[in-house]
């Protein structure tokens, strides 16, 4: 399995290539050329991408989805609770759950207003059950992990690698290191999602913001 990180604005998008190729998340608005160039720089023809899994549909994760779909022909995969944001282009952002989250969130909400999200039709709308990625040539599943948003999902590989969107953060100015998110719709639900991931034997965490880290770094916080 090849895992390639593509920096798109303030977000990480991830390319997974095995028997097939998928992309995780769609980056910030206005960064579409950077995303396509990043795919090509990784040595992958954009046309190889057959699926795009959206961990959730906040504005900084779906900004280039329509452009990706038009360029690659890939199927866009999203949870049923998030599809309305993707298909309407409506912006969404969860509240701050820490003091810094509330302060920084106010700034982000203001800043995000300058971006326009192009609506994009979802191809595969999933529910709360785990969905195998075998048809896309990837040994892993899409796992429902709400909390940051009501329709957040993670991609969990058989290897123990997990791509969790904003279930965790590991970058300034959000966090000083690997930590729980500073924004979330429901932290109690988020903790249940972390338990689900630990029960699945997840080892390595790939956040949308910041570098990968081992799940043990969050052990004291998620095993409350």
């Amino acid at each position: 399995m090849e895992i390639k990180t593509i920096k798109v604005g303030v977000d990480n998008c991830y390319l997974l290539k095995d028997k097939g190729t998928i992309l995780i998340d769609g980056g910030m608005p206005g960064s579409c050329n950077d995303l396509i160039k990043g795919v090509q720089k990784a040595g992958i023809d954009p046309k190889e991408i057959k699926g795009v899994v959206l961990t959730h549909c906040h504005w900084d994760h779906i900004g280039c989805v329509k452009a990706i779909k038009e360029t690659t022909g890939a199927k866009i995969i999203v949870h049923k609770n998030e599809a309305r944001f993707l298909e309407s282009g409506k912006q969404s952002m969860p509240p701050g759950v820490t003091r810094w989250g509330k302060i920084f969130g106010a700034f982000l909400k203001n800043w995000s207003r300058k971006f326009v999200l192009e609506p994009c039709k979802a191809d595969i709308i999933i529910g709360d059950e785990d969905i195998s990625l075998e048809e896309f040539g990837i040994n892993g599943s899409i796992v429902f992990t709400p909390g940051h948003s009501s329709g957040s999902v993670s991609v969990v590989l058989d290897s123990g690698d997990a791509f969790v969107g904003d279930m965790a953060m590991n970058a300034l100015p959000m966090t000083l290191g690997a930590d729980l998110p500073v924004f979330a719709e429901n932290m109690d639900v988020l903790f249940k999602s972390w338990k689900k991931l630990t029960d699945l034997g997840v080892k390595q965490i790939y956040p949308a913001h910041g570098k990968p880290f081992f799940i043990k770094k969050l052990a004291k916080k998620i095993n409350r």
Side-chain angles (χ1 to χ4, degrees):
M1 175 76 70
E2 292 182 50
I3 299 173
K4 305 285 187 181
T5 304
I6 302 174
K7 190 75 174 175
V8 187
V10 298
D11 286 54
N12 296 328
C13 294
Y14 294 101
L15 267 175
L16 307 184
K17 181 175 182 179
D18 198 356
K19 294 177 182 177
T21 304
I22 67 168
L23 179 70
I24 300 174
D25 279 342
M28 284 185 60
S31 301
C32 305
N33 287 337
D34 292 338
L35 178 51
I36 298 302
K37 287 178 182 177
V39 172
Q40 294 169 332
K41 189 175 179 180
I44 294 174
D45 183 340
K47 296 289 186 184
E48 292 181 47
I49 301 172
K50 301 305 179 186
V52 180
V53 180
L54 302 178
T55 60
H56 59 294
C57 287
H58 292 153
W59 61 274
D60 56 322
H61 292 257
I62 61 171
C64 301
V65 174
K66 186 175 182 181
I68 295 165
K69 184 174 181 177
E70 291 174 347
T71 301
T72 66
K75 293 181 179 179
I76 310 302
I77 308 165
V78 65
H79 190 271
K80 62 183 180 181
N81 293 347
E82 305 285 312
R84 68 187 186 278
F85 298 113
L86 176 69
E87 296 184 344
S88 68
K90 183 179 178 181
Q91 290 201 24
S92 174
M93 184 173 167
V97 293
T98 66
R99 182 179 296 178
W100 172 239
K102 292 173 183 177
I103 295 169
F104 189 50
F107 164 77
L108 283 181
K109 191 172 183 179
N110 235 1
W111 183 52
S112 67
R113 287 175 181 153
K114 72 176 184 177
F115 298 115
V116 176
L117 295 175
E118 290 193 78
C120 181
K121 184 72 175 174
D123 297 291
I124 301 175
I125 297 178
I126 62 176
D128 300 351
E129 69 284 353
D130 294 355
I131 301 295
S132 171
L133 287 166
E134 183 178 0
E135 70 170 287
F136 294 97
I138 301 295
N139 292 322
S141 301
I142 302 172
V143 177
F144 182 44
T145 51
H148 176 68
S149 72
S150 65
S152 289
V153 300
S154 299
V155 172
V156 179
L157 303 182
D158 294 352
S159 60
D161 297 299
F163 303 81
V164 302
D166 286 352
M167 278 185 70
M169 298 176 171
N170 190 23
L172 291 169
M174 277 77 76
T175 60
L176 293 174
D179 208 338
L180 296 175
V182 295
F183 314 111
E185 289 183 10
N186 191 317
M187 286 300 288
D188 289 333
V189 173
L190 185 82
F191 283 114
K192 291 178 182 178
S193 292
W194 274 111
K195 184 178 187 308
K196 186 175 184 179
L197 292 186
T198 56
D199 288 348
L200 288 171
V202 164
K203 300 172 185 175
Q204 181 95 329
I205 301 299
Y206 289 79
H209 303 283
K211 294 181 179 180
F213 60 91
F214 288 108
I215 195 171
K216 62 185 180 182
K217 287 193 173 183
L218 290 183
K220 290 182 179 179
K221 295 191 176 185
I222 63 180
N223 296 324
R224 63 175 191 175

